[in-house]
C-alpha cells in the first residue's frame, strides 16, 4: 500500500492510500444506458467483489474535450489510459466505478458533432440515475470525477443533482472557453520566436481570433464553450469538492483551481479542498515543462501517484461518511422510486 499526505484540514492531517487492484478483486460488466431514442451510452461498471454483499459507493468518470473512450485514451498520447489508473485505485478501496464511451464513439451511439457541454452533462445525469438503480450500489454514496471539460460537466451535474456525495475536478477551468482559447493562443505564439517574430504576433493573434469567432457562429459546441462560465455554475454547487491541478499545466493554468475554489467556498459548498501537484501537466502526468506538444514524448504515461492518492483519499472520506444534508441540499429521505433498491 502507498500512502501520502492529502491536505491539512481543520488542524488535522488527511492521509490517502492507494492499493494496487488485482484481477481477482473486481467484477466488470458491459452496460448500455439509454439517453434518448438516438443515444445509448456503452460502458463498463466495475464492482469490488468484497463489496458485492453490501452497498458499495460508486463513482462516475467524465473525460475532457474531444472524442474519448471509456478509458480516456488519446490518440496523440499512446498508452495514456487515465480512467484505468483511477478505476484501479478506487476499486482497491471498495468503490465501484462507471466508465463510458463518449456519445457517438466506441460502443456508444448518438451524435457527437453538434453536441454541447450541456448535452454531455445531461448524458452524465442520465448515467447517474441509471447507477442509482443498480443492485448493490448505494444510491446515496455517488460521486463524479471530471477532467477538464468533464470537470465543467461535473459541476453542471452537481448543480442539478443535490444528492451527490462529492465531486473531484481535475484540471478544471474557472473561465469561459473564449478566455482560455485566447490565453492558449497567446502562450503558443509568444513562446515560438522563430515561427512568429514579435512584429507579427499582433496580426497573427487577431487573425486567429477572427477565425475562432467565425467557427463559433457555426459550431454549437464551440459557441457554448466560449460563453459558459464555470464560476456561474459553481455558485449553484453544494457538495464537497476536491480540485486537483498540475503546477505545470499550460492548457488551464493552476490559478484556475484557486479561483474556482474561492467561488465554491463563497457559495456554500460544505468542503472545498485544493491540491496543486508539482511538475504535473494538464493530463496529470509527470512533466516539468507541461507543453502539450510534448505529451507524446513523455516517458511515463500513467497518472501520477500523488494525484491518485489525493483523489482516492478524498472520495473514500466523503463516501464513507453519513452526514445530515448541508444547507441548500435536498432532503436525504430516499424517494420512493429508490427505496426498492436492495441497498
Amino acid at each position: 500500500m502507498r500512502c501520502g499526505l492529502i491536505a491539512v484540514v481543520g488542524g488535522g492531517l488527511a492521509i490517502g492510500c492507494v492499493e494496487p487492484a488485482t484481477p481477482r478483486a473486481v467484477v466488470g460488466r458491459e452496460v448500455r444506458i439509454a439517453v434518448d431514442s438516438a443515444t445509448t451510452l456503452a460502458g463498463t461498471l466495475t464492482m469490488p467483489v468484497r463489496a458485492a454483499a453490501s452497498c458499495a459507493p460508486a463513482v462516475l468518470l467524465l473525460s475532457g474535450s474531444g472524442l474519448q473512450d471509456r478509458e480516456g485514451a488519446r490518440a496523440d498520447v499512446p498508452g495514456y489510459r487515465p480512467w484505468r489508473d483511477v478505476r484501479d485505485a478506487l476499486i482497491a478501496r471498495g468503490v465501484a466505478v462507471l466508465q463510458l464511451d463518449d456519445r457517438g464513439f466506441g460502443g456508444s451511439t448518438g451524435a457527437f458533432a453538434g453536441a454541447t457541454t450541456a448535452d454531455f452533462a445531461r448524458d452524465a445525469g442520465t448515467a447517474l440515475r441509471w447507477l442509482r438503480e443498480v443492485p448493490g450500489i448505494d444510491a446515496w454514496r455517488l460521486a463524479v470525477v471530471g477532467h477538464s471539460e468533464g470537470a465543467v460537466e461535473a459541476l453542471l451535474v452537481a448543480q442539478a443533482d443535490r444528492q451527490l456525495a462529492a465531486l473531484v475536478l481535475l484540471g478544471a477551468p474557472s473561465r469561459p472557453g473564449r478566455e482560455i482559447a485566447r490565453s492558449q493562443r497567446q502562450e503558443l505564439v509568444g513562446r515560438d520566436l522563430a515561427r512568429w517574430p514579435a512584429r507579427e504576433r499582433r496580426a497573427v493573434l487577431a487573425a486567429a481570433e477572427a477565425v475562432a469567432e467565425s467557427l463559433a457562429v457555426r459550431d454549437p459546441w464551440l459557441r457554448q464553450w466560449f460563453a459558459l462560465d464555470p464560476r456561474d455554475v459553481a455558485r449553484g454547487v453544494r457538495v464537497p469538492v476536491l480540485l486537483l491541478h498540475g503546477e505545470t499545466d499550460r492548457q488551464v493554468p493552476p490559478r484556475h483551481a484557486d479561483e474556482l475554489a474561492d467561488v465554491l467556498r463563497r457559495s456554500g459548498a460544505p468542503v472545498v479542498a485544493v491540491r496543486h501537484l508539482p511538475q504535473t501537466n494538464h493530463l496529470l502526468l509527470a512533466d516539468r515543462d507541461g507543453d502539450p506538444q510534448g505529451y507524446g514524448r513523455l516517458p511515463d504515461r500513467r497518472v501520477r501517484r500523488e494525484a491518485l492518492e489525493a483523489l482516492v483519499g478524498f472520495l473514500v472520506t466523503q463516501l464513507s461518511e453519513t452526514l445530515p444534508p448541508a444547507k441548500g441540499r435536498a432532503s436525504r429521505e430516499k424517494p420512493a422510486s429508490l427505496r426498492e433498491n436492495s441497498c
Side-chain angles (χ1 to χ4, degrees):
M1 181 187 298
R2 301 181 309 224
C3 299
L5 173 67
I6 294 174
V8 179
V9 181
L13 299 181
I15 304 296
C17 303
V18 177
E19 300 178 46
T22 65
R24 291 180 294 178
V26 301
V27 175
R29 66 182 176 94
E30 288 288 310
V31 302
R32 296 288 185 275
I33 302 172
V35 176
D36 53 42
S37 59
T39 307
T40 297
L41 303 176
T44 304
L45 174 62
T46 309
M47 297 278 289
V49 169
R50 62 175 180 241
S54 59
C55 291
V59 172
L60 171 65
L61 306 179
L62 301 179
S63 298
S65 301
L67 281 168
Q68 294 174 61
D69 66 11
R70 67 194 70 181
E71 298 280 86
R74 292 172 53 121
D76 60 334
V77 190
Y80 178 63
R81 299 286 189 276
W83 293 151
R84 170 199 59 192
D85 302 335
V86 171
R87 177 199 64 217
D88 290 351
L90 286 169
I91 286 292
R93 298 297 302 278
V95 180
V97 178
L98 177 60
Q99 304 163 249
L100 299 169
D101 297 333
D102 286 342
R103 57 159 61 201
F105 191 67
S108 295
T109 64
F112 182 85
T116 66
T117 303
D119 293 325
F120 302 138
R122 282 192 288 271
D123 291 349
T126 301
L128 281 174
R129 289 190 292 275
W130 176 90
L131 193 55
R132 284 195 168 102
E133 300 290 343
V134 175
I137 295 294
D138 188 339
W140 300 103
R141 292 194 293 157
L142 301 185
V144 179
V145 175
H147 175 244
S148 198
E149 184 188 356
V152 180
E153 295 164 20
L155 287 170
L156 285 166
V157 170
Q159 186 184 53
D161 186 343
R162 298 299 177 86
Q163 299 298 343
L164 279 179
L167 295 181
V168 176
L169 309 180
L170 311 174
S174 64
R175 296 301 180 101
R178 177 175 280 108
E179 292 185 38
I180 294 171
R182 187 176 293 145
S183 176
Q184 289 176 348
R185 290 194 297 268
Q186 291 171 344
E187 202 269 344
L188 177 64
V189 171
R191 74 169 183 262
D192 195 336
L193 300 178
R195 186 175 181 183
W196 292 293
R199 65 181 181 278
E200 299 178 7
R201 290 179 200 165
R202 181 175 296 180
V204 169
L205 290 171
E209 181 89 4
V211 170
E213 293 299 329
S214 176
L215 289 173
V217 172
R218 303 189 300 272
D219 186 323
W221 175 82
L222 189 60
R223 183 165 60 250
Q224 185 178 86
W225 186 63
F226 270 11
L228 182 62
D229 192 328
R231 294 167 297 182
D232 292 339
V233 183
R235 291 186 180 98
V237 172
R238 300 291 186 275
V239 302
V241 182
L242 169 65
L243 297 103
L244 287 178
H245 220 105
E247 288 190 353
T248 59
D249 189 337
R250 289 167 68 169
Q251 292 184 254
V252 181
R255 65 178 181 275
H256 285 243
D258 299 307
E259 186 171 57
L260 202 55
D262 183 61
V263 173
L264 287 162
R265 292 185 183 111
R266 290 174 181 272
S267 300
V271 177
V272 181
V274 181
R275 176 77 182 271
H276 290 286
L277 302 168
Q279 298 184 17
T280 303
N281 66 22
H282 187 64
L283 303 185
L284 299 180
L285 300 178
D287 186 355
R288 292 184 178 183
D289 180 69
D291 183 356
Q293 297 184 69
Y295 288 165
R297 297 189 295 272
L298 294 173
D300 188 353
R301 313 292 171 83
R302 304 295 294 264
V303 173
R304 293 202 67 171
R305 181 191 64 191
E306 291 83 358
L308 294 175
E309 289 173 347
L311 182 154
V312 172
F314 179 82
L315 287 177
V316 167
T317 297
Q318 298 303 323
L319 296 176
S320 64
E321 292 179 349
T322 302
L323 299 173
K327 183 178 180 181
R329 293 182 69 181
S331 168
R332 296 291 290 180
E333 182 178 354
K334 186 175 292 188
S337 62
L338 294 182
R339 290 176 191 155
E340 296 179 358
N341 190 319
S342 61
C343 288

